Amino acid sequence: MKTSKNKDTLRLTPEQDWHVSTVDAEQKAIEKALQSKTSGEVLLDLTQIDQMDSMGLKLLVGLYKTCVKKGLKLRVEASSSKILRLTRLCGLNQYIEIQEVVAHG
């Protein structure tokens, strides 16, 4: 997981698909990155990954809940049609701003 800060925005960029065998490490990285974040926005950049299973969805929902608790805005960027379709199917786009973008590099 890459992290970067730009003004009030913390960008989280997973580098591997979110599924049952990867979410524990990703969750720890997210928790560490959010530890000192008390205001502004969290941008979850999913443009580097192509797939997400139910455990990945659980991680995304958990991130959303953490952001709500801390008063942070969560925004998601994704380029994978699979991830975009899955988040819409689950109705997450009603709670989280999810933007379709062209993948970085």
Side-chain angles (χ1 to χ4, degrees):
M1 170 92 56
K2 288 183 189 175
T3 62
S4 62
K5 294 179 184 176
N6 181 9
K7 295 186 182 180
D8 282 343
T9 301
L10 171 65
R11 178 182 288 265
L12 304 173
T13 308
E15 299 176 279
Q16 57 188 348
D17 290 343
W18 278 10
H19 48 75
V20 69
S21 64
T22 63
V23 293
D24 285 343
E26 296 291 283
Q27 182 172 358
K28 287 176 185 167
I30 289 170
E31 288 171 358
K32 183 178 179 184
L34 287 177
Q35 231 169 11
S36 61
K37 184 80 173 149
T38 58
S39 65
E41 175 182 65
V42 175
L43 172 58
L44 180 60
D45 178 355
L46 298 178
T47 59
Q48 301 297 308
I49 68 173
D50 187 52
Q51 296 185 15
M52 179 185 297
D53 68 7
S54 61
M55 293 302 289
L57 277 174
K58 181 180 175 187
L59 183 57
L60 179 54
V61 169
L63 174 58
Y64 169 73
K65 287 180 178 181
T66 299
C67 286
V68 167
K69 251 187 222 178
K70 292 182 130 218
L72 304 171
K73 178 183 179 185
L74 174 62
R75 193 163 48 94
V76 176
E77 292 181 348
S79 57
S80 165
S81 61
K82 295 172 189 173
I83 291 175
L84 291 164
R85 186 174 37 238
L86 183 61
T87 56
R88 287 184 192 120
L89 180 66
C90 294
L92 292 179
N93 59 328
Q94 295 178 28
Y95 303 96
I96 303 170
E97 180 184 339
I98 301 173
Q99 297 177 306
E100 181 174 4
V101 296
V102 177
H104 303 290

